[in-house]
Amino acid sequence: MSFIQLRNVSYKYPIGKRDVLKDINVNVEKGGFYALIGANGSGKTTFCNVLRGFVPHFYKGDLRGDVLIDGKDIREWDMGELAQKIGFVFQNPFTQISGVKDTVFEEIAFGLENLGVAVEVITQKVEEVIGLLGIEYLRDKNPQELSGGQKQRVALASIIVMEPEILVIDEPTSQLDPQGTEEIFKIIELMKHKGKTIILAEHKIELIAEKADKILVFQDGEVVMQGTTEEILTDQRVQEYGAALPQYALLGLEMKRQNWEVDRIPLTEQQAITTVKGLVAAKGGQICHS
Ligand SMILES: Nc1ncnc2c1ncn2[C@@H]1O[C@H](COP(=O)(O)OP(=O)(O)OP(=O)(O)O)[C@@H](O)[C@H]1O
Ligand SMILES: [Mg+2]
């Protein structure tokens, strides 16, 4: 059985006339890295809220179909237990900061403190995560006074420190520059290598192309495409559904349209180089000056 299963799931917010999730069927395998893509308002955040039990426990609304987390229906999960299993990083980092702690160190420790973990263990774990995210320079700062990007790093740290099995991360890089974004993706990759199951809503398609295993494409509340990263990001329908394709894939598709013998549409820089080398070799290497 899949780790997370959604069967015929539809959802309408309490205030709202229409379904914002429509008949969704998705299986998530343990240890996989799933990216959610799609236009603004297509339902990615709502989907994340279903997984962490916010729907139906907090937003009542109208949830139909079955959501099974590790085999257990979402309605039967105790919210406290579910919160330990699924770490959730909000789209808006300003809502994640507790507002009751004076330093970043205490902020990251907050969740473990609430679980009654021994102080020595908390200290050790918090130090470890601070090192992992490279945010030593923020340790004694007031969380309220951080920039958006710094808040995003602290929000991620405060979830990772809890060691949840599943990480649901909603646009963690919206406030970050390209370098900060790379850093966050590296952390997410590290979490995957530790065996965590990752569900990430993100618009930055070039990074998704490099890192994700599977992709779900959302459009107007429906999952209109799902498959491996390679299957999805070489398919032009993605654009019709309002999401972007990587630049390298667009180039490959256009070359193919112009009858170049591109046997594999590249998604990443490395793959694009391989494609070009293949084309050059096929032409007897004439355009290569050594
Ligand atoms: N609390 C709410 N009550 C009623 N409707 C909502 C609520 N939150 C979101 N919606 C609506 O649900 C739909 C899906 O929104 P959602 O935030 O899930 O999209 P999204 O794909 O995450 O968008 P974005 O890329 O902008 O983050 C939108 O039409 C939105 O207006
Ligand atoms: Mg969203």
Side-chain angles (χ1 to χ4, degrees):
M1 192 199 297
S2 299
F3 197 32
I4 300 173
Q5 245 184 331
L6 282 84
R7 291 195 298 241
N8 306 110
V9 171
S10 296
Y11 178 68
K12 186 174 83 56
Y13 280 103
I15 302 171
K17 287 197 187 68
R18 48 187 204 98
D19 285 348
V20 293
L21 294 180
K22 299 170 189 165
D23 200 24
I24 291 186
N25 288 285
V26 166
N27 289 330
V28 172
E29 303 303 330
K30 203 170 190 159
F33 180 169
Y34 292 74
L36 318 178
I37 64 172
N40 292 328
S42 57
K44 304 179 298 293
T45 295
T46 307
F47 179 86
C48 293
N49 275 326
V50 168
L51 295 186
R52 69 174 178 127
F54 233 56
V55 170
H57 290 271
F58 179 78
Y59 287 117
K60 298 295 180 201
D62 183 13
L63 180 71
R64 280 148 287 144
D66 299 313
V67 182
L68 303 171
I69 310 282
D70 210 357
K72 188 163 147 185
D73 192 288
I74 196 84
R75 300 170 184 90
E76 284 158 22
W77 271 95
D78 170 81
M79 277 301 270
E81 284 169 19
L82 191 63
Q84 283 179 53
K85 196 171 186 76
I86 304 188
F88 187 86
V89 184
F90 288 87
Q91 180 161 3
N92 178 352
F94 300 89
T95 47
Q96 191 118 30
I97 302 293
S98 70
V100 299
K101 295 293 185 184
D102 295 330
T103 69
V104 163
F105 187 94
E106 291 169 10
E107 179 69 34
I108 299 171
F110 189 43
L112 292 171
E113 212 175 43
N114 281 337
L115 291 179
V117 176
V119 176
E120 313 82 74
V121 179
I122 295 182
T123 308
Q124 185 218 330
K125 287 191 177 194
V126 174
E127 289 296 354
E128 227 174 84
V129 169
I130 285 181
L132 185 71
L133 275 98
I135 51 174
E136 290 85 355
Y137 67 106
L138 297 178
R139 181 198 311 257
D140 301 319
K141 293 228 158 100
N142 185 328
Q144 306 284 0
E145 287 162 10
L146 305 180
S147 71
Q150 290 169 338
K151 279 193 172 125
Q152 276 184 317
R153 289 188 177 87
V154 172
L156 188 59
S158 66
I159 295 304
I160 285 177
V161 78
M162 308 289 288
E163 298 175 355
E165 269 181 87
I166 304 166
L167 282 163
V168 177
I169 313 175
D170 196 0
E171 286 191 49
T173 67
S174 55
Q175 309 277 328
L176 292 168
D177 60 16
Q179 197 203 334
T181 301
E182 283 274 355
E183 286 167 15
I184 294 286
F185 267 82
K186 280 204 186 107
I187 305 292
I188 294 173
E189 212 176 12
L190 196 68
M191 291 297 119
K192 180 188 151 63
H193 287 140
K194 286 192 173 187
K196 311 287 181 197
T197 304
I198 317 258
I199 295 164
L200 172 75
E202 178 62 73
H203 288 283
K204 291 173 183 155
I205 203 69
E206 318 289 340
L207 279 159
I208 292 191
E210 296 215 7
K211 313 282 189 197
D213 303 317
K214 299 269 176 70
I215 297 187
L216 310 182
V217 184
F218 283 76
Q219 189 202 33
D220 196 20
E222 281 179 72
V223 173
V224 284
M225 293 174 81
Q226 52 182 313
T228 65
T229 299
E230 170 141 15
E231 280 163 4
I232 300 296
L233 294 187
T234 54
D235 190 328
Q236 251 155 350
R237 282 179 298 169
V238 167
Q239 289 180 302
E240 290 161 28
Y241 291 134
L245 286 178
Q247 289 298 324
Y248 296 115
L250 291 174
L251 177 69
L253 288 165
E254 180 56 25
M255 287 175 83
K256 207 166 179 172
R257 201 184 64 78
Q258 293 186 19
N259 297 323
W260 288 70
E261 283 172 26
V262 180
D263 27 271
R264 185 181 175 197
I265 303 293
L267 294 185
T268 64
E269 183 179 53
Q270 210 44 52
Q271 290 170 8
I273 290 171
T274 307
T275 301
V276 171
K277 279 185 178 165
L279 289 169
V280 171
K283 289 206 178 284
Q286 291 135 320
I287 56 170
C288 220
H289 302 280
S290 55

